[in-house]
Each structure stands twice: as structure tokens, then as C-alpha cells.
Amino acid sequence: MSVEVKNAIKQFGAFTALDRVSLKVESGELVALLGPSGSGKTTLLRMIAGLEFPDNPQESQILFYGEDVTTIPASERKAGFAFQHYALFRHMSVFENIAFGLRVRPKTTRPPEKEIRARVEKLLRLIQMEPLGPRFPSQLSGGQRQRVALARALAVEPKVLLLDEPFGALDAKVRKDLRRWLRQLHDEIHVTTLFVTHDQEEALEVADRVAILRAGRIEQIGTPDEIYDRPASSFVYDFLGNVNLFSGRIKDDSVVIGETAFALTEKSGAEDTDAVAFVRPHDIRVTRSASGQSTLPARVVRCHAAGPLANLELERLDGGGWFTVQLSREQFHELQPRTGETVYVELKTVKVFAESLPINYSI
Amino acid sequence: MTPAATTFHPPREPRRQLNTEPVWVRRLLISLALSFLAFFLFLPLAFVFTQAFAKGIGFYFKSLTDPLTWSAIKLTLLATGIAVPLNCVFGVAAAWAIAKFDFRGKNLLLTLIDLPFSISPVIAGLIYVLVFGAQGWLGLYVNAEHPWFPWLAHWLDEQNFKVIFAVPGIVLATIFVTVPFVARELIPLMQAQGRNEEEAARVLGASGWQTFFRVTLPNIKWALIYGVILCNARAMGEFGAVSVVSGKIRGQTNTIPLHIEALYDDYNFTGAFAVASLLAFLALITLGLKTWVEYQNARQDETEISS
């Protein structure tokens, strides 16, 4: 266990940023803290860096490799931190920015000038910016600045690398490139890394494990597959997006959506409770005729088949709103749907969350 | 871009409408503004110099090298030499505390810093007279029958230590009126720059002093110099507060502005203007330095933006 947070509480006035958060990160792991704004993810990261301190120091703990650092200030924690807006020292060159962490060390532990130069040059090679050492931060692009911020954090050989929205301020293409680069970099140097993001795609693509935060609590933590395939709550399902919501009612062993009843895989024992069924767009089958009993009638509103998958926008005939279906190209060509015609949909994998019940069901 | 390549031409009409004032109106407004400036700013300045040299260059230098003038210059330099560095340190400390930390009474501190701007300098001087004068707390303490620290009262009495009508009072008054200059200049800048760079330095292992000298200070360099220039100009030219506490003893407690008044009261107009030209020179130098610093600052901003 390289980083462990136990039971941390943090409040800013009346706002609760962290509500008894506990988190364990294995050595060498790349973990994403994912959540909407205000969910406490940045506060958690700053707390690990030592820029914020928990409100309950008696009950809470922060451990680096088993060593209690709860009351140790940021300057002695040996964490590397890259800020959302980079926070590069604007009056220093790229080279001096990266060298800063080494130069401010006390004389006894400061490496000699020659070694500092060698280390900085090695880092400049690592971030692929070798010739740009003498430049100033103002003369760099956003992506370059972010890489310098990373190199500066890595220069002090941190026990933990903390990145606050590392790609937040960049445009889409640079973002994708840098994402891939970060993953490669992590595979090369294997430093335990936590990064904050509000972009689910980014978290699922880059991280070994993803922690989803909501209102100061960790809602679920797991590998990207686990999170995507088995969301622990309706919030996680909703937040990860790419999902259709069907509201209905649970009646004993079935869920009723519109006028159609779908059988549940287990008995709920509940009498008539509000419930929401979550269905991913690729877990829906579309047919021309109402073959089985459990099909919903819908009207085709729009179809677009650009790219490897075809998207259908459908409107429920029972007035329950719109939903999206994803078909492979073959399925799409087989079906040949036309705008305005009526089709019948079958829900293949469904997760039902009942608001008043502690248990969740699948169909 | 060639006109053919643009797909959208903004309508010309509204722009022309903004400039529809007839030529004579524009010329009238401009000449009004210029003649106002000439009459109230340039003319008096020119008058100072013509009067100063009215009795020839010999008399001008004789006025400046007069022992009383020389003592006024020395006293002004002394008061400024103490007030400006002190306010520089205080201003940076206050601005740092206000911009980078949250604490109780932050707004009170902000208001207190502005106090010397909002209070009349004469009142500021009077406060010092009330506190440190012969009838004030200091006088009562030294003359008390059983003071708290008898040795201190005795020593003060023996040294004939005085604040009012003496150099310490002048220094205190000068410090008081110049408190806001440096702090006011730095606070908005430091607030705009935020705490991120300092936090980054801390995480990288820098101590508080290292963070200040290596990160904060270089970022506020130009604003600090600008504040010091303004503070210096005000410290040298201060009249009101200093005139209350000085007692105007010639050769002892007269600063340059007080000495000018004394010469003028003696009907020595040329001498008064000769010394006044010193302050006018100082004003011109201040303006020059101010423009240069603003230029440097703008250049720095420009390199930051052009990326």
C-alpha cells in the first residue's frame, strides 16, 4: 500500500468537501479520481499533497508507504504535484523550473550543480522537449506547459505523483495525445500516480483503477471494466453516461416500463415501487415485429450510420421519451430502418435501481 | 486577409456615426483640455523654474548651499531614508498576508492600510502631538512621580528625549502618511497572481523564505519598485502632518517643504523658488522613473501574453 487515506473530513464553511473518505492506492498504480465538480476530488488530492489538512486529525490518517504523514507539511512530504493551470514559475526558464525542487534543498542533501544539470536534461528528454530548456513558460503551448509541470514534479523523485485535471485546459487533440503519453510514461517509470478528472472517458482509458466521488464520498472504486460493467449505484451509471434511463415500477418479480412488463432475474418481494432501469445503447435489440411479450414499441426519429457503429434515436410510443440504440453496421444494413416507422425493442442487459430499496436487480 | 476572402463585412454605418461630431467640436474639446493642462500644470512648473533663476544662476546655487537649506535637505533625506524602507517591508508583508492567506480581521487590516489616505495629514500630525507631546502620554510618563519603569523614565529624561518638535516626530509623521503606497500597489497584483506558484514551490520542498525570495518577490518586482517610487515622492514632499509635529525650528526640524514656506514667509521669493525647484526636479524624475517602470512592466506582460 503506497498511499492510504483514512476517514478524512474537510469542510469549507458550510460546504462539505470530504465526508469521511477512505482510499487505498497500491504501489505503482495509476488511479483516477473521477467526479462532477464539487464532489471533493481536488480537495482529496490536495490533502494527499499536504496543501489541505483534514478537519478531524485525531480520527483521520494519511499514510505514505505506511508512514504517517497526516501532520507533515507539504514541503516535507515528497509528493509531486502538477496543478490544473500548471503554476509554472513565470520568471524562470523551463530548465530552472524543472531544477527548482533540487536547488531549494538544504546544502547537505542538494546534489552538485553537475548532477542537477544531468537530471534536468534527462527529464527534458523524457518530456521530449530537449531544445526548449532556455524558453520561458509564456513561450510554450498548453501541452508543453503541462509536460514541463510534470517534469518539475518528477525532478524531486516523488514517492507519489499527484495530477490535478492534467488535461483539463487543453484542446481535444492535444488531450488525446497527452493522455496516451501519460500512460506510456507511467508504464516506464512506475511511480504511484493519482489524477483528478471530470472526464469519464479519460479516466476509463488511462487509469488502472477509477474512484468515483460524489458529494465528498467515494461512491465506487474499481477497474475501468468493473466500473463500466457493474456500476454500484444509479449515480455511477448516470455519471459514466452512454446509458438510457427507463423509469417504471417494480411489481413483485417484474418491472413494468410503459405498458410492458419485464421479468426480473430474482424476486424483489416489493409491492409497486418506483424504479429506474438503466440500459446501455448497445444492449438493445431492434426488430420490425413484436415477437415476444417483452418488447417496447417505438418510432424511429433519426438514424446516422457514420463510423463503425450506427446510432438510432427512438421515441417511445407510450410517451416515455427518447432513447438511443447502437447497432453494428451489419445489424443496421440488415434492419434498414427508415425515419418515422415503428419498431419494437428488446432490452438485453438491464440494471434496475429501485429508489426505496437497498437491493438492485437485473433483468 | 484579402477582402474577397472575408465572408462577412460588418456594417460600416454605426462606426461612422460614432464620429459624427463636426470638426470644430472636436478641435474645441481638444484645445479646452490642452489649455486647461497648460494653465494649471505646465505654467506653474515653468514659473517655478523662471522664478528660481530670476536673480541669476549664482544666487540660485547660493540659495541651495545655504546652511539652513542644506540642513533641510539632510533632514528630508533622513526621514525619507527611514520611512521608505520601513514602508517597503511593511507593505510587502501586509500585501503578502492579505493576498495569500485567509485570516480573521483581513478586511480590518485592509481598511487600516487605507486610513492615511482618508484622514487629513494635519489630523495625523495632531494625533502624534497628543500621544507624544509634552502634555501627551509620553510627557505624562516622563514627568510622573512614580512611573512604571523608573529607570526608563529617568533615562528618557536624562537624554532629553523628545518626539514632538524633534526628528523622531517628523520620521513618524512621514511613515504614517506613506503607509498605503507600497501595500496598495501590491495587493491587487498579488491577488491576481493567486497562490498557485507558492503552493507549487512548497510542494517541491521550498521553505517559506525560499518561496518568498525565489517565487513571490521576482513576480512582484516591478509593482514594488513602482510603489517605492510613489512612496518616496510623497515622503519627500509631505507638508501637512510634518508641519504639525516639526515646530519649524530652522536648521533643526525644517524639511524641504517647510523650509520653502519659511523662505517664502521671509519674502525671499527667489530663494523659496530655488529650493522649490529641487522638489520640482524630484517630481520630474519620479515621473520619468514611473514611465520607465510602467514600460518595463508592460513589456513583461507582453511576453507573457504572446505565446
Side-chain angles (χ1 to χ4, degrees):
Chain A
M1 212 69 62
S2 68
V3 177
E4 197 170 347
V5 180
K6 285 183 190 165
N7 217 14
I9 295 180
K10 184 74 191 176
Q11 282 188 310
F12 297 109
F15 176 73
T16 306
L18 294 180
D19 186 6
R20 296 198 177 278
V21 166
S22 298
L23 175 72
K24 286 179 186 175
V25 178
E26 301 289 339
S27 189
E29 235 185 343
L30 178 58
V31 171
L33 301 175
L34 176 67
S37 48
S39 59
K41 51 195 193 305
T42 296
T43 309
L44 180 57
L45 198 76
R46 287 172 62 86
M47 194 175 271
I48 295 170
L51 293 169
E52 308 281 354
F53 292 90
D55 292 341
N56 54 341
Q58 268 83 40
E59 303 165 280
S60 62
Q61 255 190 327
I62 297 165
L63 304 168
F64 280 10
Y65 297 91
E67 183 198 345
D68 190 343
V69 297
T70 318
T71 54
I72 291 178
S75 52
E76 288 155 39
R77 276 200 195 179
K78 298 203 171 88
F81 199 105
F83 289 81
Q84 185 178 3
H85 298 289
Y86 323 126
L88 296 178
F89 306 127
R90 64 192 91 185
H91 62 281
M92 289 182 205
S93 65
V94 166
F95 188 97
E96 285 306 315
N97 260 285
I98 298 173
F100 185 87
L102 300 172
R103 291 206 196 283
V104 294
R105 285 195 184 165
K107 271 214 177 85
T108 45
T109 54
R110 191 190 310 152
E113 181 62 28
K114 228 176 116 186
E115 202 187 315
I116 293 181
R117 301 208 141 261
R119 283 250 287 268
V120 173
E121 261 147 33
K122 198 175 144 211
L123 282 161
L124 279 171
R125 260 199 306 282
L126 189 71
I127 60 169
Q128 298 150 16
M129 283 176 60
E130 260 180 305
L132 303 183
R135 292 254 187 116
F136 281 85
S138 54
Q139 299 164 315
L140 302 178
S141 71
Q144 288 172 329
R145 283 181 208 186
Q146 183 57 271
R147 298 212 300 262
V148 174
L150 260 165
R152 185 178 68 175
L154 287 172
V156 293
E157 290 173 343
K159 294 176 179 168
V160 188
L161 186 59
L162 306 165
L163 315 172
D164 187 5
E165 298 264 2
F167 319 113
L170 303 170
D171 57 68
K173 174 146 171 34
V174 181
R175 238 178 133 110
K176 283 222 154 163
D177 290 349
L178 212 52
R179 234 193 250 171
R180 210 162 298 144
W181 178 78
L182 176 69
R183 185 66 240 190
Q184 275 173 4
L185 182 78
H186 184 264
D187 293 342
E188 245 171 74
I189 58 175
H190 267 303
V191 59
T192 310
T193 307
L194 273 99
F195 76 99
V196 157
T197 178
H198 60 261
D199 182 341
Q200 49 277 41
E201 198 189 314
E202 198 168 283
L204 296 176
E205 186 187 312
V206 177
D208 294 326
R209 283 199 302 153
V210 179
I212 296 188
L213 280 94
R214 175 204 195 179
R217 288 171 168 277
I218 292 182
E219 193 89 357
Q220 185 177 6
I221 181 160
T223 64
D225 289 357
E226 279 166 18
I227 299 263
Y228 190 81
D229 292 335
R230 292 189 293 284
S233 67
S234 57
F235 171 80
V236 175
Y237 231 128
D238 216 8
F239 187 71
L240 289 180
N242 197 22
V243 70
N244 293 301
L245 274 67
F246 294 92
S247 46
R249 301 185 74 77
I250 287 187
K251 277 183 189 164
D252 193 30
D253 56 352
S254 63
V255 57
V256 181
I257 297 167
E259 284 144 24
T260 318
F262 294 86
L264 291 170
T265 49
E266 54 188 312
K267 278 193 183 250
S268 72
E271 284 285 324
D272 218 9
T273 312
D274 278 333
V276 180
F278 288 83
V279 191
R280 298 232 184 257
H282 46 80
D283 286 334
I284 298 176
R285 223 168 69 116
V286 183
T287 52
R288 277 246 155 60
S289 55
S291 51
Q293 289 171 337
S294 298
T295 50
L296 278 173
R299 193 173 61 86
V300 179
V301 179
R302 212 156 70 90
C303 20
H304 42 109
L309 291 170
N311 282 307
L312 293 189
E313 298 285 341
L314 303 180
E315 187 185 9
R316 278 162 62 180
L317 290 185
D318 54 25
W322 294 27
F323 60 98
T324 309
V325 178
Q326 254 169 16
L327 301 175
S328 69
R329 286 192 85 86
E330 295 86 60
Q331 285 170 321
F332 184 78
H333 282 300
E334 220 170 277
L335 188 70
Q336 301 253 350
R338 283 184 309 276
T339 310
E341 75 170 319
T342 300
V343 291
Y344 296 87
V345 300
E346 215 176 291
L347 309 181
K348 286 193 290 186
T349 309
V350 184
K351 191 111 173 143
V352 184
F353 293 93
E355 275 162 36
S356 56
L357 289 175
I359 325 159
N360 305 313
Y361 307 94
S362 3
I363 289 174
Chain B
M1 197 183 283
T2 58
T6 55
T7 49
F8 175 72
H9 292 283
R12 274 275 172 86
E13 211 51 40
R15 248 182 80 194
R16 210 183 289 157
Q17 270 173 356
L18 287 175
N19 279 339
T20 46
E21 289 85 4
V23 178
W24 67 269
V25 173
R26 270 185 268 164
R27 288 205 177 140
L28 182 75
L29 286 173
I30 291 170
S31 52
L32 255 177
L34 281 181
S35 51
F36 182 88
L37 281 179
F39 196 73
F40 283 96
L41 290 176
F42 183 70
L43 205 63
L45 192 64
F47 191 72
V48 167
F49 285 103
T50 48
Q51 283 296 307
F53 290 100
K55 292 188 184 166
I57 197 148
F59 188 85
Y60 179 80
F61 281 108
K62 221 183 106 211
S63 299
L64 289 190
T65 48
D66 179 77
L68 292 182
T69 308
W70 195 230
S71 120
I73 293 172
K74 276 194 289 190
L75 182 58
T76 298
L77 288 178
L78 176 72
T80 310
I82 296 172
V84 171
L86 273 181
N87 273 328
C88 186
V89 171
F90 167 77
V92 172
W96 204 38
I98 286 169
K100 312 277 178 182
F101 301 97
D102 291 315
F103 54 91
R104 265 164 192 275
K106 190 164 160 172
N107 280 329
L108 185 73
L109 182 58
L110 263 172
T111 316
L112 280 179
I113 288 172
D114 277 343
L115 189 68
F117 271 168
S118 54
I119 209 167
S120 158
V122 176
I123 296 168
L126 279 174
I127 294 168
Y128 282 116
V129 172
L130 288 175
V131 175
F132 295 112
Q135 312 304 319
W137 293 348
L138 185 71
L140 290 177
Y141 173 71
V142 172
N143 297 320
E145 274 183 48
H146 304 290
W148 275 358
F149 300 102
W151 57 269
L152 182 63
H154 184 71
W155 184 76
L156 287 175
D157 197 31
E158 212 167 55
Q159 298 289 312
N160 198 17
F161 179 77
K162 275 209 233 154
V163 174
I164 301 308
F165 306 147
V167 176
I170 292 168
V171 173
L172 278 178
T174 310
I175 292 172
F176 181 86
V177 294
T178 52
V179 157
F181 286 95
V182 175
R184 270 282 139 202
E185 205 58 53
L186 294 183
I187 288 167
L189 177 74
M190 288 172 94
Q191 276 175 337
Q193 287 180 345
R195 310 172 190 182
N196 272 350
E197 285 184 45
E198 277 83 5
E199 283 182 344
R202 295 290 285 168
V203 177
L204 288 168
S207 69
W209 285 114
Q210 281 176 324
T211 306
F212 178 73
F213 282 111
R214 287 167 181 252
V215 177
T216 310
L217 202 56
N219 276 343
I220 59 168
K221 185 174 64 184
W222 290 114
L224 180 63
I225 293 172
Y226 187 72
V228 165
I229 291 170
L230 291 183
C231 182
N232 182 60
R234 177 69 194 265
M236 288 195 170
E238 173 55 23
F239 181 83
V242 169
S243 103
V244 176
V245 296
S246 114
K248 300 179 188 171
I249 308 162
R250 290 195 191 186
Q252 281 182 39
T253 64
N254 260 5
T255 60
I256 297 177
L258 298 180
H259 185 60
I260 294 169
E261 193 205 23
L263 289 173
Y264 192 81
D265 287 347
D266 290 347
Y267 301 101
N268 183 358
F269 299 133
T270 313
F273 279 114
V275 183
S277 71
L278 270 186
L279 283 182
F281 263 131
L282 173 75
L284 290 177
I285 291 168
T286 305
L287 275 179
L289 276 175
K290 185 175 152 283
T291 316
W292 181 72
V293 169
E294 275 171 354
Y295 169 73
Q296 291 293 330
N297 209 354
R299 221 177 53 166
Q300 189 186 353
D301 286 349
E302 219 169 80
T303 53
E304 256 162 47
I305 292 162
S306 68
S307 53

